[in-house]
Amino acid sequence: MKKPVMIAFDYGQTIIDEHPVDFVRGTAEVMKYAAVNKFNKTPEEIQSISAQLKKELGNFKPGREFGDYGEISNLAFQAFLYESQGIELSISYEEAELIFWDSAAWGKAAPGIEELLAYLHDNGIRTAVLSNNAYGQKALSSRINRILPNHHFEFILSTKDYLFRKPNRHIYELLLMKADLQAADVWYAGDSLINDVDGSRNAGLMPIWYTGASEKWEQTDRECLHIKHWHDLIDYLKELQ
């Protein structure tokens, strides 16, 4: 196997861990900016309505990871959620998006990812991010830049901006177009067997299955490079050289 020209990464539970997540806390922070709350809704009530709406949109249906629907914009979702409940915010939905995300899920660098990214940069291996994400590139980049300030990602792609979600091959083809590379030159790393391993392999990329964020993981006979800690990937790349 030859050294990759680029390694692209998933975001959540891959380069950045987001546990625990508290959506009510995020909603409570946003509602501090409610200029109008016509029905005196509480954060708990709003989050309950949010969960029901997401269920109706198909976010929790069996097989949702198979990419049989488009990505839902969090900005559009927030606009409907708050305005349908008689709530007017004194801030923009772009600002509310960042406040919600930062409050609901703090995020921290995955163990070893900073060392890996430094190694890749020093050895001329390009890097990028492709994330299934309802938050757009601006919000996603802001968070990554804050948590991983020394990264050298060439670009950061959020499916919110491009409709298609992993594992749909179209979003991987967009990644290759942005990188101006052939599939054989790119490895893709993520924690989901369906979205990341199956999706990237079906698009012709070399899949890396990262399980460092999981206390347990299922067994698989899929053809992929299984990495439990990012230091292991550094060792593997050194062997290739």
Side-chain angles (χ1 to χ4, degrees), residues 1-2 4-10 128-130 155 157 166-177 179 181-190 195-209 222-225:
M1 184 179 295
K2 66 177 182 178
V5 178
M6 170 181 277
I7 298 180
F9 295 86
D10 174 45
V129 173
L130 168 60
F155 53 83
L157 300 179
K166 299 177 297 181
N168 192 301
R169 67 179 295 115
H170 290 313
I171 199 66
Y172 285 102
E173 290 167 351
L174 176 66
L175 166 68
L176 295 174
M177 179 64 70
L181 291 171
Q182 298 299 310
D185 295 323
V186 181
W187 296 5
Y188 186 80
N195 288 339
D196 303 323
V197 173
D198 291 349
S200 61
R201 186 183 63 245
N202 291 340
L205 287 69
M206 161 70 178
I208 303 171
W209 185 33
R222 293 168 169 86
E223 294 182 8
C224 63
L225 177 60

Side-chain angles (χ1 to χ4, degrees), residues 2-241:
K2 66 177 182 178
K3 183 179 76 171
V5 178
M6 170 181 277
I7 298 180
F9 295 86
D10 174 45
Y11 164 76
Q13 320 319 324
T14 298
I15 61 172
I16 293 177
D17 296 339
E18 288 195 343
H19 290 307
V21 178
D22 187 338
F23 293 134
V24 172
R25 182 175 62 202
T27 301
E29 288 301 312
V30 172
M31 289 186 66
K32 290 180 180 179
Y33 298 90
V36 176
N37 187 349
K38 185 175 180 179
F39 303 109
N40 295 315
K41 295 286 186 177
T42 66
E44 290 79 9
E45 289 173 322
I46 292 298
Q47 192 52 48
S48 177
I49 294 166
S50 172
Q52 180 59 39
L53 289 173
K54 290 178 179 179
K55 185 176 181 180
E56 291 181 24
L57 287 168
N59 283 33
F60 304 131
K61 70 179 180 180
R64 67 178 294 269
E65 285 193 304
F66 287 93
D68 55 352
Y69 64 97
E71 186 66 83
I72 298 168
S73 164
N74 186 62
L75 295 180
F77 183 81
Q78 281 189 128
F80 180 83
L81 173 64
Y82 289 113
E83 293 176 31
S84 69
Q85 300 306 309
I87 295 173
E88 298 178 15
L89 302 179
S90 62
I91 56 175
S92 69
Y93 288 121
E94 288 82 1
E95 292 172 299
E97 179 177 63
L98 291 175
I99 290 169
F100 174 83
W101 197 7
D102 286 342
S103 301
W106 296 99
K108 63 180 180 178
I113 189 62
E114 292 164 300
E115 293 86 349
L116 172 63
L117 294 177
Y119 174 84
L120 297 178
H121 178 68
D122 291 344
N123 286 271
I125 299 175
R126 299 160 56 190
T127 55
V129 173
L130 168 60
S131 171
N132 273 4
N133 214 302
Y135 303 100
Q137 185 270 342
K138 184 177 180 181
L140 182 59
S141 295
S142 175
R143 168 161 284 222
I144 291 174
N145 292 342
R146 175 171 56 82
I147 299 174
L148 297 172
N150 298 316
H151 74 78
H152 293 88
F153 295 130
E154 291 186 13
F155 53 83
I156 296 170
L157 300 179
S158 168
T159 54
K160 178 261 183 181
D161 298 323
Y162 296 103
L163 179 63
F164 292 102
R165 292 173 54 89
K166 299 177 297 181
N168 192 301
R169 67 179 295 115
H170 290 313
I171 199 66
Y172 285 102
E173 290 167 351
L174 176 66
L175 166 68
L176 295 174
M177 179 64 70
K178 293 284 188 181
D180 194 22
L181 291 171
Q182 298 299 310
D185 295 323
V186 181
W187 296 5
Y188 186 80
D191 65 308
S192 168
L193 281 173
I194 296 175
N195 288 339
D196 303 323
V197 173
D198 291 349
S200 61
R201 186 183 63 245
N202 291 340
L205 287 69
M206 161 70 178
I208 303 171
W209 185 33
Y210 171 71
T211 57
S214 303
E215 294 182 359
K216 59 180 180 178
W217 50 84
E218 57 189 298
Q219 298 296 318
T220 182
D221 57 0
R222 293 168 169 86
E223 294 182 8
C224 63
L225 177 60
H226 184 186
I227 295 295
K228 299 178 183 179
H229 193 286
W230 289 124
H231 292 160
D232 298 336
L233 183 54
I234 294 176
D235 293 339
Y236 185 82
L237 290 167
K238 287 180 177 178
E239 291 179 5
L240 287 183
Q241 293 177 328

